[in-house]
Amino acid sequence: MTRTALVTGGSRGIGAAICLALQRQGVQVAANYRGEVSNAERFYAETGIPVFRWDVADADACTTGVAAVVERLGPIDILVNNAGITRDASITNMSSEMWNEVIRTNLGGCFNMCKAVFPQMKARAWGRIVNIGSINGQAGQFGQVNYSAAKAGIQGLTKALAQEGARAGITVNVVAPGYTDTEMVTAIPAKILEQIMARIPTQRLGRPEEVASAVAYLCHEESGQITGSTLSINGGQHMY
């Protein structure tokens, strides 16, 4: 049986790597994106993975978007909640809108997407949900009270939803990357990035493909006994 996966924020960075890993696993994949139409179109042209545009922070848009994916590809068996944004500042300088925007997108978007696909997974008694967390949701990070709170919230959401899904054959897990070689991380000023690298025992950034292979494993048919778990991929920077 061919499974169908939807990856939010799937046309670039870690999301794109996840889409490709699932595709290699024989999964039929759809990628959601919010902006940069030209990048999404290029991703589709290069991979053949169809792209669908909506904002995961908008609950109604998520319902409509999921319906569009189902109409084109069939019921969604696998959901990877990867979409996320940053609006960094110390709390003194962080506006309420900076806080709300990150919470709405990173945590609210995860809720919106889970809610949109969970009933159909439950009806078919099978599903895989993988939520992308972060080392900064586990350990915190200066200047990221919004992002760290949202990513920590994703871990709580995951553990609660895993209990709701377990008897219905739905697993829900978190993959929490550390600092990974993506545009978002490499945009950090070089001096600060050097300081970050010095705190990573492996002395390097992670690769998107390393995160993607872990996600693909958790989406596999044989991973059904793993649920409510967090898999950290951070080079040993944070262990607990």
Side-chain angles (χ1 to χ4, degrees), residues 2-237:
T2 300
R3 300 293 189 183
T4 298
L6 171 59
V7 181
T8 67
S11 64
R12 60 187 301 176
I14 290 174
I18 292 169
C19 285
L20 293 172
L22 290 171
Q23 187 183 56
R24 286 192 296 271
Q25 197 165 277
V27 175
Q28 183 176 228
V29 185
N32 150 269
Y33 73 104
R34 185 178 73 167
E36 295 198 23
V37 175
S38 60
N39 175 75
E41 290 176 343
R42 182 170 59 253
F43 177 76
Y44 172 54
E46 292 174 352
T47 65
I49 294 172
V51 292
F52 298 81
R53 188 182 189 187
W54 73 84
D55 184 355
V56 297
D58 183 333
D60 291 337
C62 290
T63 300
T64 302
V66 165
V69 174
V70 170
E71 182 177 4
R72 181 164 175 180
L73 301 178
I76 295 167
D77 304 292
I78 297 165
L79 170 66
V80 181
N81 283 306
N82 169 72
I85 62 171
T86 56
R87 299 290 184 267
D88 295 350
S90 65
I91 197 165
T92 304
N93 298 316
M94 182 176 291
S95 66
S96 294
E97 182 51 36
M98 292 168 74
W99 167 270
N100 290 332
E101 190 175 359
V102 169
I103 297 297
R104 280 196 306 263
T105 299
N106 296 13
L107 181 55
C110 184
F111 166 79
N112 292 338
M113 289 303 305
C114 288
K115 185 173 176 64
V117 304
F118 198 82
Q120 55 186 275
M121 290 180 176
K122 192 172 182 180
R124 295 193 311 283
W126 198 94
R128 298 284 185 267
I129 297 174
V130 180
N131 300 319
I132 303 302
S134 169
I135 187 175
N136 293 343
Q138 299 170 311
Q141 176 60 41
F142 182 93
Q144 283 196 328
V145 294
N146 49 6
Y147 185 85
S148 296
K151 291 299 187 178
I154 283 173
Q155 292 196 203
L157 181 155
T158 296
K159 292 179 183 299
L161 189 58
Q163 295 181 53
E164 293 188 30
R167 291 186 180 180
I170 304 167
T171 66
V172 191
N173 292 289
V174 175
V175 169
Y179 288 89
T180 306
D181 190 5
T182 63
E183 289 180 25
M184 182 184 293
V185 170
T186 55
I188 296 172
K191 190 171 183 179
I192 295 175
L193 194 56
E194 286 177 12
Q195 294 171 353
I196 291 170
M197 295 269 286
R199 299 197 301 269
I200 303 174
T202 59
Q203 294 290 288
R204 68 172 176 86
L205 298 175
R207 294 188 294 271
E209 294 75 18
E210 292 173 313
V211 179
S213 60
V215 173
Y217 170 69
L218 291 173
C219 295
H220 199 273
E221 300 281 344
E222 296 177 359
S223 66
Q225 192 66 2
I226 305 171
T227 195
S229 296
T230 298
L231 175 57
S232 298
I233 305 176
N234 58 40
Q237 185 177 357

